[in-house]
Amino acid sequence: MSASIAKNIEPITEHRANVLYQHGTLALLVPGLLEGTTTMGELLTHGDTGIGTGEGLDGEIIVLDGKPWRVGQGGRVEAVPDDFAMPFATMHRAAFQYQCERADIGLEELNRRIVEANGRANTFFAVIVRGTFSFMKTRAVIKQQAPYPTLEEVADRQAIFLGQDVRGTMLGYFSPIMFHGAAVAGFHEHFLADDHSIGGHVLDAVLERGEILTQVFDTLVQHLPVDNPEYRNHDFTHDNIGEAITNAEG
């Protein structure tokens, strides 16, 4: 390696704003490896912003400004304690840049325009949409008990929440298609209303008016639960990972 190249390589540190930290993968949820293998307290050492789910798919998690919130199957928004166990989460240190404002736009078109404006379909990035949503549809999967079922078996075991004219924050992560399995290709988005009246994994939405901010990552830190024997010994060759994730997350 030439010196001219080597001198431009920075050491990987999660304190850099362009580093995305992920614990676990969506692929490990497919066969039902839902045991909590990290805690919220640990995750908060890696960032102040993020999304995830609890042990046994216990609620949809959103972390904003260093404060973690959980939306469970009853729809109530609750603060998350440091010892809350999680099998999967994505975290980073917020350094968002203003992109634009949008009005009267559905979720699919909104996401398409965000990718188009970024010009980064092969890059990980985070997006925050703050504003008023004339329609919001979210879900929380019903908490599962061990022995855990597969992700496809629980895909339809979910509580659906509907909101109208609700002001809040939608936080999402975009992952390139080549990383489908580690994450979900495309957008994975969670929502939290300012008044905590609704939240969860976003299924559909219409933005009445709001601002869009994005943050691009050039480094992915992937942390795996190698001390968990079920994860370490599981044979993923028979799991239909791609299709299962698409069905569950869409």
Side-chain angles (χ1 to χ4, degrees):
M1 181 180 295
S2 69
S4 60
I5 295 177
K7 69 180 181 181
N8 292 324
I9 297 178
E10 299 179 45
I12 294 175
T13 167
E14 293 156 33
H15 294 282
R16 286 184 7 215
N18 57 345
V19 174
L20 180 63
Y21 177 88
Q22 182 170 288
H23 173 78
T25 69
L26 281 179
L28 67 80
L29 305 183
V30 170
L33 302 180
L34 307 181
E35 183 178 345
T37 48
T38 190
T39 64
M40 179 53 70
E42 170 62 23
L43 287 167
L44 288 172
T45 68
H46 300 283
D48 54 22
T49 305
I51 61 177
T53 189
E55 181 171 272
L57 302 180
D58 183 12
E60 305 289 343
I61 307 299
I62 183 169
V63 183
L64 298 171
D65 300 319
K67 297 180 180 179
W69 304 96
R70 170 187 168 275
V71 181
Q73 62 193 59
R76 188 169 61 179
V77 177
E78 300 176 320
V80 178
D82 282 350
D83 62 355
F84 186 78
M86 302 173 66
F88 174 80
T90 302
M91 298 286 294
H92 80 281
R93 300 186 187 281
F96 289 93
Q97 301 294 316
Y98 175 84
Q99 186 180 90
C100 65
E101 291 190 5
R102 296 289 184 190
D104 300 321
I105 186 169
L107 182 64
E108 184 176 351
E109 179 66 10
L110 173 63
N111 285 343
R112 186 188 69 79
R113 292 194 182 187
I114 290 171
V115 175
E116 186 179 76
N118 273 346
R120 299 178 183 276
N122 293 324
T123 302
F124 284 92
F125 65 85
V127 58
I128 271 186
V129 182
R130 295 194 185 107
T132 300
F133 294 80
S134 56
F135 174 73
M136 176 59 65
K137 180 180 181 181
T138 64
R139 70 105 191 271
V141 175
I142 297 173
K143 182 181 179 181
Q144 305 300 302
Q145 303 296 328
Y148 296 117
T150 67
L151 189 62
E152 286 189 298
E153 288 172 338
V154 303
D156 58 350
R157 304 178 194 175
Q158 56 187 2
I160 303 295
F161 313 113
L162 301 175
Q164 292 182 324
D165 300 323
V166 57
R167 183 166 182 80
T169 300
M170 183 171 71
L171 167 64
Y173 290 92
F174 179 88
S175 301
I177 191 169
M178 69 187 81
F179 287 89
H180 193 57
V184 57
F187 286 95
H188 183 178
E189 294 160 315
H190 287 193
F191 178 76
L192 182 66
D194 288 351
D195 62 3
H196 290 187
S197 60
I198 183 174
H201 176 97
V202 177
L203 295 176
D204 197 9
V206 177
L207 177 65
E208 180 178 314
R209 180 173 295 277
E211 62 175 10
I212 293 94
L213 302 96
T214 60
Q215 181 175 348
V216 176
F217 308 107
D218 64 17
T219 302
L220 172 66
V221 174
Q222 178 69 72
H223 184 259
L224 298 174
V226 295
D227 293 329
N228 180 267
E230 290 188 0
Y231 168 77
R232 192 169 56 244
N233 298 322
H234 183 77
D235 181 2
F236 285 91
T237 59
H238 303 294
D239 297 319
N240 191 0
I241 293 172
E243 184 176 343
I245 290 175
T246 299
N247 292 340
E249 295 299 319

